[in-house]
């Protein structure tokens, strides 16, 4: 048996086309990304986000601050952007240099401009199952599952990884859709016992090939969120041999990756609806 591949590009392109239509209808959406320092991986991500934002007609500003920037300086910049009526959406790229407390910076964002959905207000709304700004990668995964009509109600879903960016929001979105959700992590005993029962398995750990074919339920849906740079190029958290066991599998690259940026742009549209009062932000 060979799994059906769930590729992200066609779905992402459709989302981006819809965003471009929304931007044209709204007239102006201002997105500011902030990159502190010159981490090469972050630089690549920011460039990709910018290119996509500009292509959709979003007015995107690529703000770069020096590695030595103090926490107070960054907080002052965030507050300035919070107050700027031309700015709908703000993204502070993580990780931040060690002298800056990330949690403090995330808390300084105006929740309705928090395009990443990282602010505790947004995380809390998600926890409560209320509509809000939700991190882009797990939203992208949900769109991929929906594209293939994957039954979630009553399904056993296993998420490997408990990060605030992917694992935790992913688990909440699956729970909202009535899946029975298990979160596994580095201390989980007998991981395979959990994964083998998973109708839907989402791997978001950052360990190349850690999900081996013998850990996958035959016919199950496997979503690989891992993007690991290795000597062999970009590889996921799932061993590609899992395609012989799974019913559906997302490839790396070309799977979840393109969805993250598309859903981030959708979030920017949502931010603009909040700022314009078309949607009520829950505050
Ligand atoms: N660093 C890694 N992923 C992300 C992301 O989705 N958003 C931000 N702001 N930083 C990141």
């Amino acid at each position: 048996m060979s799994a059906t591949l769930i590729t992200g590009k066609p779905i992402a392109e459709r989302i981006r086309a819809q965003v471009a239509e929304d931007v044209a209808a709204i007239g102006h959406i201002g997105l500011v990304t902030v990159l502190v320092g010159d981490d090469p991986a972050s630089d690549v991500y920011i460039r990709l986000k910018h290119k996509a934002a500009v292509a959709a007609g979003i007015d995107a500003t690529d703000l770069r601050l020096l590695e030595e920037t103090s926490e107070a300086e960054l907080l002052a910049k965030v507050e300035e952007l919070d107050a700027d009526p031309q700015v709908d959406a703000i993204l502070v790229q993580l990780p931040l240099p060690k002298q800056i407390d990330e949690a403090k910076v995330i808390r300084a964002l105006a929740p309705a401009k928090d395009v990443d959905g990282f602010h505790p207000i947004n995380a809390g709304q998600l926890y409560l199952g209320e509509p809000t700004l939700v991190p882009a990668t797990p939203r992208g995964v949900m769109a991929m599952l929906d594209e293939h009509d994957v039954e979630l109600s009553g399904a056993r879903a296993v998420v490997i990884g408990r990060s605030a960016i992917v694992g935790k929001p992913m688990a909440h979105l699956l729970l909202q859709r009535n899946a029975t959700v298990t979160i596994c992590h580095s201390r989980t005993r007998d991981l395979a016992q959990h994964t083998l029962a998973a109708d839907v398995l989402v791997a978001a750990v950052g360990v190349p090939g850690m999900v081996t074919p013998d850990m996958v339920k035959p016919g199950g849906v496997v979503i690989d969120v891992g993007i690991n740079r290795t000597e062999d190029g970009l590889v996921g958290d799932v061993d590609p041999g899992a395609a012989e066991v799974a019913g559906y599998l997302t490839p790396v690259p070309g799977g979840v990756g393109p969805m993250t940026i598309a859903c981030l742009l959708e979030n920017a549209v949502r931010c603009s609806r909040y700022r314009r009062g078309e949607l009520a932000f829950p505050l």
Side-chain angles (χ1 to χ4, degrees):
M1 184 169 69
S2 202
T4 300
L5 288 184
I6 308 182
T7 54
K9 206 169 159 212
I11 314 170
E13 273 174 5
R14 214 182 322 121
I15 292 173
R16 286 166 60 161
Q18 181 62 53
V19 169
E21 262 185 47
D22 293 343
V23 177
I26 289 169
H28 167 269
I29 296 180
L31 165 70
V32 178
T33 63
V34 184
L35 175 56
V36 185
D38 36 37
D39 176 70
S42 292
D43 177 62
V44 170
Y45 287 133
I46 287 289
R47 279 174 200 274
L48 289 172
K49 289 170 188 175
H50 261 266
K51 204 169 151 209
V54 170
I58 291 174
D59 182 3
T61 305
D62 181 356
L63 186 63
R64 305 282 177 131
L65 301 176
L66 294 175
E67 177 79 27
E68 307 75 58
T69 301
S70 70
E71 185 179 283
E73 285 169 323
L74 180 57
L75 289 172
K77 178 49 79 178
V78 168
E79 279 158 23
E80 184 188 314
L81 297 171
D82 285 346
D84 186 340
Q86 291 299 309
V87 175
D88 293 280
I90 308 167
L91 180 150
V92 179
Q93 185 67 23
L94 305 178
L96 289 167
K98 58 184 179 321
Q99 73 276 16
I100 301 176
D101 180 347
E102 281 182 5
K104 243 188 202 174
V105 174
I106 290 169
R107 273 169 218 274
L109 292 165
K113 293 189 177 187
D114 167 34
V115 72
D116 273 316
F118 293 168
H119 191 285
I121 291 271
N122 287 315
Q125 286 291 117
L126 175 61
Y127 166 96
L128 294 171
E130 298 291 336
T132 195
L133 290 159
V134 175
T137 301
R139 285 205 30 232
V141 171
M142 296 306 286
M144 295 175 102
L145 295 172
D146 285 341
E147 180 77 10
H148 290 269
D149 295 320
V150 173
E151 176 69 38
L152 293 174
S153 184
R156 287 177 204 237
V158 172
V159 179
I160 318 176
R162 53 176 157 179
S163 71
I165 296 182
V166 183
K168 283 183 187 142
M170 187 77 252
H172 281 287
L173 289 176
L174 290 163
L175 180 61
Q176 271 180 23
R177 298 284 296 276
N178 302 312
T180 301
V181 183
T182 303
I183 305 179
C184 298
H185 46 77
S186 54
R187 306 286 176 89
T188 296
R189 276 189 227 134
D190 197 359
L191 178 63
Q193 177 210 320
H194 295 283
T195 60
L196 276 168
D199 302 307
V200 177
L201 177 61
V202 182
V205 259
V207 178
M210 70 98 66
V211 176
T212 48
D214 58 318
M215 294 168 69
V216 171
K217 177 176 177 177
V221 178
V222 180
I223 306 288
D224 189 353
V225 183
I227 300 181
N228 307 291
R229 285 182 182 76
T230 70
E231 283 171 3
D232 305 329
L234 281 189
V235 302
D237 291 347
V238 178
D239 181 330
E244 294 308 314
V245 185
Y248 289 91
L249 176 65
T250 63
V252 175
V256 177
M259 297 300 294
T260 295
I261 292 184
C263 291
L264 181 78
L265 301 182
E266 266 189 338
N267 274 357
V269 173
R270 189 171 190 96
C271 289
S272 115
R273 298 203 193 286
Y274 285 138
R275 196 183 59 73
R276 294 152 52 86
E278 289 173 23
L279 275 179
F281 190 80
L283 267 187

